[in-house]
Amino acid sequence: MNRSAVLITAAALAAFGTGAASAATIVQNDNEVILRGFDGFDTRLGQLDKVTLDISVTKYRMWGVQTATAMTAPITWSATGQWQLSSYNPAIASVLVPISGSGTTTVTTQPLGGPLYTGFMDVQLSGTASLTFDTALFVGKRNTFTGFDLGYFYSTPSDTVFTGMAGATYRQVPGGCSVLWNAGAEDLCGWLNFKLTYDYTPPVPEPATWAMMLSGFAITGAALRRRRRQVAMA
């Protein structure tokens, strides 16, 4: 056996002696519009050690601003709400993700019928979370996640505060960010991204497998050595 084959064999023997397997990961992505879902973990790949779901959510709500006269003024707003995770797998409990936002929007109210003047503005809230789950819920089991902004579809949610336009009254416009006036319209009011990570340990090859690998290294080394001799003689 030549020197290269000896080195390869020595490295293989060292690995065999430790019996260690390197950690590995599988990452899948999904969002609220596609809702493809996540494939379950295939145990043929090894042992599933950890399941992590990273969530990035941004939602906005439309508000109507009413005044007694036509006005143009900046309105400062702030909101601290909650977004609720849900899953088609009933074994995964709902989780609340804090979302918040603040800003200043210049609004102009104008007559839209009746004695009042009306304008519109958006309030945007964002949040992130990193969650871990029982690995048994993902071994060979497909999962799909979605969620809902709990401050959506309410006329006056208590999580939002407005200042800046004297005498104005505020009312949330349900479904204002889409043509659908129902709970499903919330999916179109912003964006939502999921990243699911499987951390797992691949299986350690059996001793018989290592023996076959070492035999293959030895045969390959011997063949290379014979070929060199034949070339040299020629």
Side-chain angles (χ1 to χ4, degrees):
M1 186 184 303
N2 63 14
R3 185 172 183 273
S4 298
V6 171
L7 292 176
I8 294 173
T9 304
L13 285 171
F16 173 68
T18 60
S22 301
T25 60
I26 296 175
V27 177
Q28 303 179 63
N29 294 281
D30 197 12
N31 62 64
E32 192 172 40
V33 176
I34 297 177
L35 279 183
R36 173 190 172 276
F38 299 99
D39 296 328
F41 180 76
D42 187 346
T43 54
R44 291 175 297 181
L45 297 175
Q47 175 182 312
L48 182 58
D49 301 316
K50 184 179 180 182
V51 176
T52 305
L53 180 68
D54 293 310
I55 304 171
S56 176
V57 54
T58 295
K59 292 294 179 178
Y60 59 90
R61 315 163 184 166
M62 178 177 285
W63 283 78
V65 183
Q66 294 182 332
T67 58
T69 60
M71 298 180 65
T72 298
I75 297 176
T76 299
W77 53 270
S78 63
T80 303
Q82 291 181 319
W83 177 87
Q84 181 173 299
L85 173 71
S86 62
S87 171
Y88 296 156
N89 184 344
I92 299 176
S94 297
V95 176
L96 296 179
V97 177
I99 54 176
S100 61
S102 61
T104 300
T105 305
T106 297
V107 177
T108 298
T109 61
Q110 46 191 316
L112 293 179
L116 298 176
Y117 294 76
T118 304
F120 298 93
M121 62 180 295
D122 286 333
V123 169
Q124 180 175 295
L125 299 88
S126 300
T128 60
S130 185
L131 311 172
T132 57
F133 295 101
D134 182 357
T135 58
L137 300 176
F138 294 83
V139 174
K141 300 176 183 178
R142 184 175 179 80
N143 285 277
T144 301
F145 296 97
T146 184
F148 194 80
D149 174 12
L150 297 183
Y152 178 86
F153 222 63
Y154 294 92
S155 58
T156 54
S158 59
D159 62 12
T160 308
V161 178
F162 301 94
T163 57
M165 185 175 280
T169 58
Y170 304 89
R171 182 174 293 275
Q172 189 177 1
V173 182
C177 58
S178 72
V179 296
L180 303 174
W181 288 71
N182 54 44
E186 189 269 349
D187 291 353
L188 305 177
C189 299
W191 50 92
L192 168 64
N193 295 305
F194 294 114
K195 183 177 77 170
L196 187 70
T197 303
Y198 293 149
D199 292 309
Y200 69 98
T201 303
V204 178
E206 297 293 332
T209 303
W210 280 110
M212 291 178 62
M213 291 174 60
L214 295 178
S215 297
F217 290 142
I219 293 171
T220 301
L224 289 174
R225 187 175 180 184
R226 284 197 303 270
R227 184 172 181 180
R228 287 198 195 95
R229 287 179 178 176
Q230 291 173 355
V231 172
M233 290 176 64

